[in-house]
Amino acid sequence: MTIDHPNFGRIADDRLIIFDTTLRDGEQSPGFSMNLAEKLRMAEALAELGVDVIEAGFPIASEGDYESVRAIAQSIQGPVICGLARSGRADILRAAEAVAPAQRRRIHTFISTSPLHMKYKLRMEPDAVLAAVGDSVTLARQYTDDVEWSAEDGSRTEPDFLCRCVEAAIRAGATTINIPDTVGYALPQDMARIFTMLRERVPGAERVIFSAHNHNDLGLAVANTIASINAGVRQVECTINGIGERAGNAALEEIVMAIRTRPDSVPAKPGVVTENILRTSRLLSTITGFDVQPNKAIVGRNAFAHESGIHQDGVLKNAATYEIMTPESVGWTKSSLVMGKHSGRAAFRDKLRAMGYGDVGENQLNDAFRRFKDLADRKKVVYDEDIMALVDDEVMRDHDRIRFVSLDVHAGSKAKPSATLELEIDGVTRSATATGDGPVDATFIAIRKLFQHEATLRLYSVGAVTEGTDAQARVTVRLEEGGKMVDGQGADTDTIVASARAYVHALNKLLVKRARTEPAALSA
Ligand code: KIV
Ligand code: ZN
């Protein structure tokens, strides 16, 4: 069976559409918010990864969400750009306006269909919900031929009512039908049963793409997605590193590699460039400040590490003894020496291009190059990871109101630690000195003197970008203000400088967050 799709044309039976919602469902979760520049950078990486659809945000949620969906629609080539909307007119018009500049665009509209959600969340009768399904899809179709409709809490919806809603959506012109397991309650057999039923019972089902959207509350999001594919789903909704509400969404890298590794069991073809997986995962960690756990499948530090002698011996004789896929197939390479202190600006620019930072502007390049030279003076060996950490520090922070300038710290076992810090705030450089219980404490007090705020420090953690005593420290700082949580990151060979950068990054994110609407008020 082949389907004619407005944006993808004739879709072969085994083609799998990868719908990435890192920038919407992923970004919506606590601590993961990104600013415009960060979202654009992430969207570029997703396009290079080869995803088919980027759900770029929820345009009605805030001015910032609208602006970033529109900016992505304007500048990202390749994937279909999608905006989310509830079933109301204002939501749909806002989403339509935001995705309008995209070469290929989609509106994704949804409404809850489970008894629990209809009664308590929507306070609507089923007939009114059914009418809203048809009306919302009809309205969205006036702005694009590619309309996705989702039954929120679909996995807990009564089967007959779900069939009626899906039929109404198809009749109104939906081209993709998505059934989310919104609360991560379903087991693989539940999802398989739901999709099999819909495909058998709903008139017109053969004309649309069915889509799976699974949350990970029981750790089953990827298993449920694979079961859905085997029941006829041809689009999967997922996020990089599995980020998302609560326990997260199905992880893109796990779905794609499960399919690549087991074509005998999962007859589907995603168009992803798997070699770009690791770098996309790392970029997201750098932007959000959340590293994946070491044992995370595919992208965790230990995913291809063999510690036991028996395993090491087997891998040396034949890697297939203990590796079901090659590390290179998902982008792992040995840390490579990239450049030294004698490397010039042109070589540095070439290196950035090769690492996917082709769009770096002149000023950003100059700043990043200055920091690279400084790093190369202090550090014997400069790795790709080092360059990535410092470039992300510079490039991602272009729109920041507060910028780190310099830090002078005195510490040790005798005198009380003190820090003299210079920050540029809204273009003006200011300086303050403070003492504290330790050099980090003194530095953070100096930041508070320069930029007063009420946020509470909730987490402070230090890791290393690479190995060795001269490695750059990567510091994460989590701040909370009025229930809003943000994580900032900073890297430097000096741990205290990295700490100051991380704190300043978190403060900048907090400023962005202050301007946003509470997500709860708009929760999907
Ligand atoms: O989990 C969910 O139900 C959603 C919908 C808005 C698609 O994210
Ligand atoms: Zn979701």
Side-chain angles (χ1 to χ4, degrees):
M1 178 198 66
T2 50
I3 290 178
D4 258 326
H5 186 276
N7 270 321
F8 299 114
R10 291 225 122 194
I11 302 178
D13 198 23
D14 59 355
R15 171 84 162 85
L16 187 70
I17 294 169
I18 301 291
F19 177 109
D20 182 279
T21 184
T22 306
L23 297 175
R24 200 278 298 170
D25 222 348
E27 203 256 355
Q28 199 167 298
S29 54
F32 283 88
S33 57
M34 301 175 215
N35 64 29
L36 179 76
E38 292 168 340
K39 284 188 183 172
L40 269 171
R41 177 78 196 100
M42 203 56 220
E44 271 164 27
L46 290 170
E48 282 161 20
L49 182 63
V51 307
D52 299 288
V53 184
I54 295 177
E55 187 165 51
F58 192 2
I60 194 97
S62 70
E63 197 54 34
D65 265 57
Y66 170 82
E67 293 297 345
S68 35
V69 176
R70 200 164 163 92
I72 290 170
Q74 266 157 354
S75 64
I76 301 297
Q77 309 290 319
V80 171
I81 307 301
C82 172
L84 183 68
R86 290 168 299 187
S87 58
R89 187 175 175 80
D91 275 50
I92 292 172
L93 296 190
R94 194 74 171 143
E97 211 182 317
V99 297
Q103 264 177 355
R104 303 196 297 162
R105 55 185 172 275
R106 172 179 297 188
I107 296 175
H108 175 192
T109 181
F110 72 96
I111 191 165
S112 291
T113 52
S114 68
L116 204 63
H117 277 221
M118 289 191 291
K119 183 166 178 195
Y120 294 103
K121 193 184 95 164
L122 298 178
R123 296 180 202 277
M124 281 169 80
E125 291 299 321
D127 279 350
V129 168
L130 191 58
V133 173
D135 292 347
S136 56
V137 173
T138 304
L139 180 62
R141 275 299 301 256
Q142 291 177 18
Y143 299 94
T144 169
D145 290 341
D146 186 344
V147 173
E148 171 170 338
W149 178 77
S150 285
E152 192 187 2
D153 208 16
S155 58
R156 294 193 299 172
T157 297
E158 290 184 343
D160 286 349
F161 187 62
L162 188 61
C163 287
R164 289 173 68 204
C165 288
V166 169
E167 186 178 345
I170 296 176
R171 215 174 316 112
T175 42
T176 299
I177 299 292
N178 182 42
I179 309 297
D181 180 30
T182 302
V183 290
Y185 171 79
L187 303 181
Q189 57 269 36
D190 297 329
M191 293 318 296
R193 197 176 48 244
I194 290 171
F195 285 112
T196 305
M197 170 194 78
L198 292 173
R199 292 179 66 219
E200 281 172 6
R201 284 182 50 186
V202 177
E206 69 291 347
R207 295 198 304 272
V208 297
I209 305 264
F210 280 96
S211 166
H213 176 115
N214 293 299
H215 280 269
N216 207 28
D217 300 67
L218 292 173
L220 291 171
V222 173
N224 287 348
T225 304
I226 299 292
S228 305
I229 297 170
N230 282 336
V233 151
R234 286 293 166 261
Q235 174 179 287
V236 293
E237 304 200 351
C238 44
T239 60
I240 301 295
N241 296 344
I243 70 167
E245 291 276 10
R246 307 178 309 278
N249 288 56
L252 179 149
E253 61 279 5
E254 295 177 21
I255 298 170
V256 169
M257 291 318 288
I259 296 169
R260 283 283 161 91
T261 310
R262 296 299 308 274
D264 56 319
S265 274
V266 199
K269 292 197 175 81
V272 165
V273 184
T274 60
E275 289 76 10
N276 284 355
I277 283 179
L278 185 66
R279 99 169 192 225
T280 317
S281 156
R282 291 246 170 109
L283 177 66
L284 182 66
S285 295
T286 306
I287 289 175
T288 59
F290 286 105
D291 279 336
V292 297
Q293 81 266 21
N295 61 327
K296 165 83 178 62
I298 320 292
V299 292
R301 197 172 62 236
N302 292 350
F304 293 91
H306 303 283
E307 188 70 29
S308 96
I310 295 174
H311 289 203
Q312 283 176 348
D313 182 52
V315 169
L316 286 175
K317 287 176 176 147
N318 181 341
T321 50
Y322 288 99
E323 281 178 1
I324 57 169
M325 63 195 113
T326 67
E328 291 78 16
S329 67
V330 293
W332 287 93
T333 50
K334 290 214 164 28
S335 284
S336 54
L337 171 61
V338 286
M339 292 187 307
K341 59 181 171 186
H342 302 298
S343 308
R345 198 167 166 284
F348 184 68
R349 183 194 275 282
D350 278 354
K351 184 72 200 172
L352 294 192
R353 271 202 202 106
M355 291 173 77
Y357 295 97
D359 57 339
V360 171
E362 279 308 300
N363 290 342
Q364 296 163 331
L365 179 74
N366 290 343
D367 288 347
F369 184 60
R370 189 181 33 72
R371 280 191 66 187
F372 161 72
K373 283 295 212 187
D374 186 40
L375 182 66
D377 271 344
R378 284 183 286 155
K379 195 172 182 300
K380 285 193 239 41
V381 181
V382 179
Y383 296 102
D384 282 3
E385 290 90 328
D386 288 315
I387 299 222
M388 210 165 159
L390 76 82
V391 172
D392 285 331
D393 242 19
E394 266 333 306
V395 176
M396 297 302 166
R397 318 285 155 89
D398 211 28
H399 298 268
D400 287 355
R401 279 182 57 194
I402 313 170
R403 296 172 75 91
F404 172 88
V405 179
S406 74
L407 178 67
D408 186 23
V409 169
H410 294 272
S413 56
K414 287 187 178 162
K416 190 156 173 78
S418 72
T420 300
L421 176 72
E422 274 188 310
L423 295 181
E424 188 190 293
I425 302 171
D426 294 327
V428 180
T429 303
R430 299 195 184 131
S431 148
T433 299
T435 54
D437 287 340
V440 175
D441 190 41
T443 303
F444 288 180
I445 293 172
I447 295 177
R448 280 177 187 272
K449 277 187 168 178
L450 288 172
F451 189 87
Q452 285 174 9
H453 57 278
E454 298 300 319
T456 312
L457 180 67
R458 288 284 176 222
L459 176 136
Y460 170 77
S461 81
V462 184
V465 173
T466 56
E467 286 162 12
T469 51
D470 66 348
Q472 288 195 89
R474 186 151 76 167
V475 174
T476 300
V477 162
R478 179 173 300 164
L479 297 178
E480 193 196 332
E481 185 189 70
K484 291 179 173 138
M485 199 97 82
V486 289
D487 280 41
Q489 280 209 320
D492 199 279
T493 47
D494 185 309
T495 309
I496 317 299
V497 172
S499 307
R501 288 185 182 279
Y503 198 113
V504 166
H505 183 214
L507 265 185
N508 280 303
K509 285 179 119 178
L510 206 54
L511 295 180
V512 172
K513 207 147 191 181
R514 276 183 191 167
R516 289 185 127 190
T517 316
E518 280 297 315
L522 290 153
S523 95

